[in-house]
Amino acid sequence: MIASCLCYLLLPAARLFRALSDAFFTCRKNALLAKSSSTQVEGSFAMAPRGPDQEECEGLLQQWREEGSSQVLSTLSEGPLVDKGLAQSSLALLMDNPGEQDAVSEDKWSSRQLSDLRAAENLEEPFPEVLGEEPLPEVEGPVWTAVPMQTGPQYADCAALPMGALAAEQWEEDPAVVAWSIAPEPMPQEEALIWPFEGLGQLQPPLMEIPYHEILWREWEDFSTQPDAQGLEAGDGPQFQFTLMSYNILAQDLMQQSSELYLHCHPDILNWNYRFANLMQEFQHWDPDILCLQEVQEDHYWEQLEPSLRMMGFTCFYKRRTGCKTDGCAVCYKPTRFRLLCASPVEYFRPGLELLNRDNVGLVLLLQPLVPEGLGQVSVAPLCVANTHVLYNPRRGDVKLAQMAILLAEVDKVARLSDGSHCPIILCGDLNSVPDSPLYNFIRDGELQYHGMPAWKVSGQEDFSHQLYQRKLQAPLWPSSLGITDCCQYITFCHPKRSERLQYSRDFLLRFRFCDVACQRPVGLVLIEGVTDTKPERPAGWAESVLEEDTLEPEPVLPRTVGTIQHCLHLTSVYTHFLPQHGRPEVTTMPLGLGTTVDYIFFSAESCENRNRTDRRLCQDGTLKLLGRLSLLSEEILWAANGLPNPFCSSDHLCLLASFGMQVIAP
């Protein structure tokens, strides 16, 4: 027994740690979002057979747990031929860089390594006799099941995910279905392994591993059976129902330009091929009728996104940002559900205006819902969908307000009906403003008094009150040359239309011969003798102001309210921005690890008379009805999944999804 223990101690440290690390990390994690209609796993997600080498790996892992890692490492450090620093550095490398270990590959185990491991496995209780300790109770090891991944050329970098262990004992219908599982038994806290190495601190394994698809579980909140303001259920009567998704998908160029924001992510999950596959599976799973995307890189759109979405049944419109920017906004819809009436790209850049010198854009579509033939001669009002990505700079709230005013003016023009009212409107996108900020309140309430307000306060993203010199908003916010009123309408739509053309008689026009303007010599007029060298004489008795009462009516001067802007679109937010079951705010993105909400879906619906700001699901008849929404997550939940992006959410934003109903009008 002593001889066998000495032989065990004389094993080279590097070889032993290499064997242990290969055994521990042979079953590497592979995860993909998948859309599944049953609890069975098919195709490339079938379980791999458990070969003899895999059983040896599990036996070695079980022995490691039974004997205790601290005892093995302490025994190695006391051996005469083993360097303690080498053991520590090997363990640090093993713990810090698990992603560099090879994937599941049985041929990685050489015959020499397997013989060494078998020799170590055949030792009979060396530690209790050498160290004089009681044998550890037998603990059953975890059951590992690995899954081979089939990677095509379009998903070349989507297979390996070096993340923590997941536990998924049963496959369920889920937007994030994992492709492997490990189900360890939770260890009591007093028996948890602790690594007592200098410089590494105490690294204690978590008491329980939770699958990512359970951490990031997002529930569908159904409002279709809840009564409206009149006490009627939303399902009463025929309705045209559709779903809309708004998603900032994180342009690859922007991610690479700000790589310091994604240091917490493994490089594999930041690869565009991996992210593209995840995004497409997410689109396919939720299957919206209208898809509004932000930060869509132009080359990715034309080469991959647009062809793939077209194969999924979408018709797509794209608007790239102005200047040298490489990303933009896209709105896609299913032609089987809607017919396009008009599409209006919106550019916020205005040459010569310092307030509007940024390259952000928007896109406004007017869609006609297609009613099934079985409903007979019925109709549905058109639907106006607006998508935008507003400037990020937290200090330039004045720019954000001006950009939003331009978008609202375009929406007012597109959604305006012949009687002056507006058709149902959905406005969504990344507004780079937090809930209850002045910009958010302006969209929701339809009015904002901005004069004297610090520019940083408009979006509420950051607090710059400590700065001595702050940019403050002055009235008017934008010049009249922009052609937009303080009510966020184009000036042409505010002028009264003349019923008929004015007709002038010959005698009236001849009276202009001797008006004050006609009697003034133009600057630079060429002198021609007998023609331009004399000044016309005013007839006797001709009054200088004779034409004053006959001149054309001047264009109406639109009064501008001092320091106040308004709109009349009556928009309401789909989300309430708070999770009552968790007591935490909702989060749509996590810049620098801080959760916040900047993405929204607004829709035109009148709130109830009680004006309950905590629940905006109830609205009056005759407008869009919110039938359901996909719940958001809290900051703590996203922290448990290592923030954003992560292996299942391939953007630094969460997608927003809502279901709406429109009233069907009979003839």
Side-chain angles (χ1 to χ4, degrees):
M1 180 64 68
I2 297 176
S4 62
C5 293
L6 291 177
C7 293
Y8 186 86
L9 294 175
L10 292 178
L11 285 174
R15 181 184 304 167
L16 179 59
F17 275 96
R18 175 61 177 171
L20 292 175
S21 62
D22 288 344
F24 192 79
F25 291 105
T26 296
C27 297
R28 189 180 179 183
K29 304 173 185 178
N30 294 296
L32 281 177
L33 284 174
K35 181 178 180 180
S36 174
S37 60
S38 67
T39 58
Q40 302 295 328
V41 184
E42 303 176 356
S44 61
F45 292 95
M47 290 187 177
R50 301 163 61 88
D53 292 340
Q54 184 175 354
E55 295 178 357
E56 292 174 356
C57 299
E58 296 179 2
L60 180 60
L61 179 60
Q62 180 175 353
Q63 181 183 358
W64 170 265
R65 294 171 59 89
E66 293 175 355
E67 296 174 351
S69 60
S70 60
Q71 296 180 7
V72 174
L73 295 174
S74 62
T75 304
L76 290 174
S77 62
E78 294 174 0
L81 299 180
V82 179
D83 182 19
K84 183 177 180 180
L86 178 60
Q88 295 180 2
S89 61
S90 300
L91 180 64
L93 179 63
L94 182 146
M95 297 175 64
D96 292 341
N97 299 315
E100 298 179 2
Q101 303 299 327
D102 295 331
V104 179
S105 178
E106 297 182 359
D107 57 0
K108 292 294 294 183
W109 290 85
S110 63
S111 59
R112 179 73 174 274
Q113 289 173 328
L114 288 174
S115 62
D116 292 340
L117 292 176
R118 293 192 184 99
E121 186 177 3
N122 293 331
L123 293 178
E124 298 179 358
E125 301 179 356
F127 294 104
E129 295 184 9
V130 175
L131 302 177
E133 297 181 0
E134 295 295 331
L136 295 176
E138 182 177 358
V139 180
E140 295 183 0
V143 178
W144 294 75
T145 58
V147 176
M149 306 302 298
Q150 297 180 1
T151 57
Q154 68 273 28
Y155 311 120
D157 301 321
C158 303
L161 291 179
M163 303 300 296
L166 307 181
E169 298 181 356
Q170 183 179 1
W171 297 90
E172 297 180 357
E173 177 109 28
D174 193 292
V177 179
V178 292
W180 70 282
S181 66
I182 170 177
E185 295 294 334
M187 297 178 57
Q189 187 170 2
E190 60 272 13
E191 298 180 5
L193 301 178
I194 298 179
W195 310 94
F197 287 97
E198 299 177 1
L200 296 179
Q202 289 191 349
L203 301 178
Q204 184 172 347
L207 299 179
M208 187 174 183
E209 297 289 352
I210 305 177
Y212 270 103
H213 74 287
E214 292 185 6
I215 294 177
L216 301 178
W217 180 263
R218 301 178 62 182
E219 297 180 353
W220 180 259
E221 302 176 8
D222 188 7
F223 305 143
S224 58
T225 59
Q226 297 191 7
D228 60 11
Q230 282 74 29
L232 301 176
E233 290 188 355
D236 293 346
Q239 281 188 330
F240 179 84
Q241 299 183 8
F242 65 95
T243 56
L244 180 142
M245 174 183 285
S246 178
Y247 203 173
N248 183 326
I249 63 173
L250 179 59
Q252 194 74 9
D253 285 351
L254 299 181
M255 183 189 68
Q256 295 174 356
Q257 294 172 10
S258 305
S259 58
E260 67 279 359
L261 300 178
Y262 309 98
L263 297 178
H264 63 285
C265 303
H266 192 278
D268 287 351
I269 70 172
L270 296 180
N271 183 278
W272 168 246
N273 288 332
Y274 175 82
R275 298 202 305 114
F276 171 71
N278 265 8
L279 291 171
M280 293 306 302
Q281 292 189 35
E282 199 167 359
F283 299 155
Q284 186 177 8
H285 176 83
W286 296 117
D287 193 25
D289 299 308
I290 302 175
L291 184 61
C292 298
L293 303 177
Q294 305 90 42
E295 286 195 25
V296 181
Q297 191 167 310
E298 185 176 27
D299 57 342
H300 291 165
Y301 171 79
W302 293 114
E303 296 173 5
Q304 294 174 285
L305 279 169
E306 196 276 339
S308 300
L309 291 174
R310 186 169 5 102
M311 293 180 61
M312 292 173 58
F314 286 97
T315 298
C316 304
F317 286 85
Y318 178 76
K319 173 59 181 175
R320 182 180 63 84
R321 284 201 289 168
T322 54
C324 300
K325 304 300 186 296
T326 60
D327 67 289
C329 297
V331 176
C332 313
Y333 68 93
K334 290 186 176 180
T336 57
R337 304 298 313 281
F338 297 93
R339 177 170 57 90
L340 179 68
L341 297 180
C342 71
S344 299
V346 182
E347 296 181 357
Y348 300 139
F349 179 81
R350 295 292 189 275
L353 288 182
E354 191 272 338
L355 181 67
L356 292 169
N357 60 357
R358 307 305 172 95
D359 296 312
N360 303 85
V361 296
L363 196 58
V364 181
L365 267 63
L366 186 62
L367 304 174
Q368 177 62 53
L370 300 179
V371 181
E373 297 180 357
L375 294 180
Q377 299 295 328
V378 296
S379 61
V380 181
L383 174 68
C384 180
V385 178
N387 180 30
T388 188
H389 190 180
V390 176
L391 176 70
Y392 166 75
N393 192 343
R395 296 180 176 87
R396 296 305 305 271
D398 51 344
V399 177
K400 299 183 183 187
L401 277 178
Q403 291 181 350
M404 186 54 58
I406 295 176
L407 180 67
L408 293 175
E410 188 69 24
V411 171
D412 176 83
K413 181 186 75 173
V414 173
R416 184 179 294 274
L417 301 177
S418 57
D419 58 355
S421 61
H422 296 91
C423 67
I425 299 168
I426 296 180
L427 189 154
C428 59
D430 184 349
L431 305 184
N432 277 313
S433 302
V434 301
D436 292 326
S437 63
L439 178 59
Y440 174 89
N441 293 334
F442 167 60
I443 299 175
R444 185 191 62 187
D445 300 335
E447 183 176 355
L448 175 65
Q449 296 181 358
Y450 63 86
H451 182 68
M453 179 183 298
W456 61 264
K457 196 174 182 179
V458 172
S459 63
Q461 295 166 280
E462 297 182 38
D463 187 354
F464 297 97
S465 58
H466 59 278
Q467 295 184 352
L468 297 178
Y469 302 99
Q470 303 176 14
R471 181 191 299 267
K472 294 187 177 181
L473 276 59
Q474 302 296 328
L477 185 59
W478 56 80
S480 300
S481 60
L482 186 60
I484 296 178
T485 68
D486 289 333
C487 293
C488 296
Q489 295 176 337
Y490 288 121
I491 293 179
T492 54
F493 285 91
C494 301
H495 289 171
K497 296 182 179 180
R498 295 186 174 93
S499 58
E500 58 183 9
R501 296 181 58 184
L502 297 180
Q503 297 180 358
Y504 305 99
S505 62
R506 179 176 181 274
D507 294 338
F508 175 79
L509 295 176
L510 289 177
R511 296 173 63 183
F512 283 94
R513 290 179 299 172
F514 303 104
C515 66
D516 294 338
V517 176
C519 294
Q520 295 178 1
R521 181 184 180 87
V523 179
L525 181 65
V526 178
L527 180 61
I528 301 177
E529 185 176 357
V531 179
T532 61
D533 58 347
T534 59
K535 180 179 180 180
E537 297 182 357
R538 188 183 302 274
W542 187 282
E544 294 185 1
S545 58
V546 66
L547 294 179
E548 185 173 321
E549 58 183 12
D550 296 326
T551 55
L552 299 177
E553 296 182 1
E555 294 291 341
V557 178
L558 299 175
R560 303 196 64 175
T561 55
V562 179
T564 302
I565 54 177
Q566 299 172 330
H567 72 83
C568 57
L569 301 181
H570 305 291
L571 299 176
T572 301
S573 176
V574 165
Y575 290 89
T576 59
H577 319 304
F578 190 77
L579 300 170
Q581 64 273 24
H582 297 91
R584 296 287 187 274
E586 293 176 338
V587 168
T588 65
T589 185
M590 290 188 66
L592 299 175
L594 301 177
T596 186
T597 294
V598 296
D599 305 277
Y600 303 94
I601 298 179
F602 291 96
F603 67 103
S604 57
E606 295 289 345
S607 300
C608 297
E609 296 180 358
N610 56 11
R611 304 292 293 178
N612 185 4
R613 296 297 178 87
T614 61
D615 190 352
R616 303 179 180 279
R617 296 170 299 172
L618 305 181
C619 52
Q620 297 178 359
D621 288 334
T623 57
L624 280 174
K625 287 184 176 297
L626 179 61
L627 303 181
R629 67 189 178 199
L630 183 63
S631 66
L632 291 172
L633 302 174
S634 64
E635 180 180 341
E636 290 76 11
I637 294 178
L638 289 176
W639 263 115
N642 198 34
L644 295 172
N646 56 54
F648 290 97
C649 297
S650 288
S651 174
D652 56 351
H653 293 248
L654 295 176
C655 71
L656 278 62
L657 182 69
S659 174
F660 297 95
M662 297 179 63
Q663 184 178 5
V664 176
I665 304 174

